Amino acid sequence: MKDLGLWQQFFYYFQHNGMYILGKFNQHFLISIEGVLLAALVGIPIGALIAHYRRLSNPVIQLANLIQTIPSLAMLSILMLGLGLGDQTVITTIFLYSLLPIIQNTYTGLRNTSPAVLDASKGMGMTKWQQLWMVEIPLSVSVIMAGIRNALVVAIGVTAIGAFIGAGGLGDIIIRGTNATNGGAIILAGALPTALMAIVSDLVLEGVQKLVSPKGLSES
């Protein structure tokens, strides 16, 4: 294998370790998506809350922004002290990093809902809860999805770093390549699928974003 060129080595490694790479790919994606989904379950309600109680918006967003400024490796190291090695620490890190884009986009989307539309829904006898679920969130879903897309792309990169604390995923292959004498091809075998995952995930979510957006907004 040493006598082959870099790309020949890459295809050789991929050919002989395809199932191993696929397993790491699946593990990587599941870790990333789990952290983002947890953040969405928490972040969207928080974003809706601060959109209706604006005095809470600055401290909440500033706190989420403060978390975002902590380097990912430092965050992993800090959480590892309490959660130990493994994927739970990485999922928690992804959860924390994903809060800012999801909360901020939810807040922005709901705050930008047309007052005329809200007045019309209020005139129809809707409660505030009905306004939120039947009017505000459907009109803001495109902005909210944009925050989730951003969070997932970041999460995929964080998961790769998480291999340093035993979380697995494609980062394991990258680390194996850095420890090998001629590991360029092995590094590519981990890095290229990671990049592909980020690109494809973003494109898929973009399609979902267009699908769930109200037709009038998506066409404008």
Side-chain angles (χ1 to χ4, degrees):
M1 187 172 172
K2 291 182 181 180
D3 297 330
L4 300 176
L6 178 61
W7 287 104
Q8 289 176 310
Q9 293 178 23
F10 166 75
F11 288 116
Y12 179 89
Y13 182 85
F14 212 97
Q15 182 180 3
H16 289 80
N17 299 276
M19 294 307 298
Y20 171 73
I21 295 171
L22 179 61
K24 291 295 182 180
F25 185 96
N26 292 336
Q27 183 184 25
H28 194 117
F29 181 75
L30 289 175
I31 291 172
S32 302
I33 198 71
E34 185 173 347
V36 174
L37 286 176
L38 288 174
L41 289 174
V42 174
I44 292 174
I46 291 177
L49 177 67
I50 64 176
H52 290 86
Y53 298 93
R54 295 190 65 183
R55 60 184 178 182
L56 298 175
S57 62
N58 280 339
V60 170
I61 292 176
Q62 286 175 3
L63 178 60
N65 193 38
L66 178 63
I67 294 172
Q68 195 85 1
T69 61
I70 302 174
S72 54
L73 195 56
M75 179 71 80
L76 287 167
S77 301
I78 293 169
L79 293 176
M80 184 180 65
L81 297 176
L83 299 176
L85 300 172
D87 57 0
Q88 293 302 315
T89 299
V90 180
I91 291 170
T92 304
T93 301
I94 292 169
F95 166 78
L96 293 172
Y97 278 137
S98 300
L99 286 176
L100 178 62
I102 293 174
I103 291 174
Q104 196 164 41
N105 279 44
T106 302
Y107 170 78
T108 301
L110 293 178
R111 289 304 304 173
N112 288 336
T113 304
S114 172
V117 174
L118 293 177
D119 288 340
S121 62
K122 186 176 181 181
M124 293 172 62
M126 287 187 179
T127 64
K128 289 186 176 180
W129 184 258
Q130 289 174 323
Q131 283 181 319
L132 176 64
W133 285 106
M134 299 175 67
V135 179
E136 294 178 72
I137 287 183
L139 291 175
S140 306
V141 69
S142 179
V143 181
I144 296 172
M145 283 299 300
I148 295 174
R149 283 172 59 189
N150 182 34
L152 183 56
V153 171
V154 172
I156 290 169
V158 172
T159 303
I161 300 173
F164 285 100
I165 61 167
L170 292 167
D172 275 351
I173 302 175
I174 297 173
I175 293 174
R176 177 175 295 188
T178 59
N179 293 331
T181 304
N182 294 291
I186 302 176
I187 293 174
L188 284 177
L192 290 182
T194 302
L196 180 63
M197 183 190 302
I199 293 170
V200 172
S201 297
D202 187 61
L203 291 175
V204 170
L205 286 182
E206 182 182 8
V208 173
Q209 180 179 338
K210 292 178 179 178
L211 186 65
V212 299
S213 298
K215 289 185 178 180
L217 293 178
S218 60
E219 293 172 358
S220 61

